[in-house]
């Protein structure tokens, strides 16, 4: 197992990946940053929330101004910069109002599951560990890996597949190089997890 997901022999439908101490640290750090970007949930103060009230709570009606958040929570009608008439803009605002809070909650839940899985790893003598995911965890990991790539892609100002190809040619002196390497590595992890789940 060379740092990419493979079928987990002991878990039917599961996936496993060998991670070294640095990879664990990077994955955890990026996921915590993603959780900070998404923001705390409505019950962050530790108060008990009425489930019915939470279901009826209105979300935002405007897209986020942060480009990374705008990638994570896109408009339901039309893409970024698309010209929209008043009716389409109103429909997009209404859609966001009723869906964004739930989407944020799911992304937070997935990210927390990733952090908990990484925290539960018991590194061996070489500082590495094998992470084994059951099918439900794999879905959460896929979601978080995708969200991490979307957020980093926005920070790198990537908009097409051709843009991401240019990342391979960045010189070591380019300040974007560490972020680009993380983006490419997360893509390889995500692709290997998808292939593992489809096999």
């Amino acid at each position: 197992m060379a740092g990419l997901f493979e079928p987990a022999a002991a878990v039917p439908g599961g996936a496993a990946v060998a991670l070294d101490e640095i990879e664990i640290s990077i994955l955890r750090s990026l996921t915590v940053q993603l959780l900070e970007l998404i923001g705390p949930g409505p019950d962050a103060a530790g108060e008990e929330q009425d489930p019915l009230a939470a279901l009826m709570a209105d979300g935002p009606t405007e897209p986020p101004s942060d480009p990374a958040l705008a990638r994570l929570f896109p408009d339901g009608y039309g893409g970024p910069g698309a010209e929209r008439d008043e009716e389409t803009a109103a429909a997009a605002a209404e859609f966001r109002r009723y869906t964004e809070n739930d989407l944020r909650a799911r992304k937070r839940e997935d990210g927390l599951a990733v952090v908990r899985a990484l925290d539960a790893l018991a590194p061996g003598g070489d500082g590495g560990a094998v992470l084994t995911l059951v099918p439900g965890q794999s879905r959460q990991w896929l979601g978080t890996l995708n969200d991490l790539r979307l957020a980093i892609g926005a920070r790198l100002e990537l908009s097409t597949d051709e843009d991401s190809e240019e990342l391979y040619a960045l010189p070591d002196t380019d300040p974007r190089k560490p972020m680009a390497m993380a983006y490419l590595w997360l893509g390889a992890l995500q692709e290997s997890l998808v292939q593992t789940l489809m096999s």
Side-chain angles (χ1 to χ4, degrees):
M1 200 176 302
L4 296 175
F5 281 98
E6 297 178 2
V11 180
V17 62
L19 299 170
D20 65 31
E21 201 169 351
I22 293 170
E23 292 168 329
I24 294 167
S25 176
I26 291 171
L27 265 174
R28 190 184 190 289
S29 175
L30 289 173
T31 305
V32 167
Q33 290 175 55
L34 176 69
L35 289 167
E36 290 170 355
L37 180 66
I38 292 169
D43 58 347
E47 299 170 10
E48 209 47 48
Q49 192 172 25
D50 176 14
L52 185 57
L55 183 64
M56 303 305 280
D58 285 350
T61 56
E62 295 295 320
S65 58
D66 182 309
L69 282 173
R71 277 292 230 347
L72 293 171
F73 305 104
D75 263 342
Y77 298 91
E83 289 190 32
R84 301 186 298 192
D85 59 23
E86 207 172 293
E87 187 177 323
T88 305
E94 193 73 359
F95 181 79
R96 181 177 297 280
R97 180 176 154 215
Y98 290 114
T99 60
E100 187 169 313
N101 284 346
D102 286 342
L103 187 54
R104 279 183 186 265
R106 194 191 82 232
K107 289 180 184 297
R108 267 192 300 274
E109 184 180 313
D110 290 351
L112 285 170
V114 168
V115 170
R116 288 183 187 120
L118 292 169
D119 287 348
L121 289 177
D126 61 354
V130 175
L131 171 73
T132 302
L133 304 175
V134 298
Q137 289 174 307
S138 295
R139 185 204 56 79
Q140 292 176 308
W141 272 75
L142 276 175
T144 297
L145 289 171
N146 187 61
D147 289 345
L148 286 169
R149 292 189 76 241
L150 286 172
I152 293 171
R155 295 290 187 245
L156 290 170
E157 299 179 351
L158 303 178
S159 55
T160 65
D161 287 338
E162 289 75 33
D163 292 341
S164 62
E165 290 298 317
E166 293 173 10
L167 297 179
Y168 290 100
L170 286 178
D172 290 342
T173 55
D174 192 307
R176 299 171 298 162
K177 182 76 173 200
M179 208 176 349
M181 297 305 294
Y183 178 85
L184 295 170
W185 175 57
L186 292 167
L189 273 179
Q190 183 182 20
E191 185 178 341
S192 69
L193 182 52
V194 168
Q195 288 175 348
T196 296
L197 296 176
M198 291 176 62
S199 61

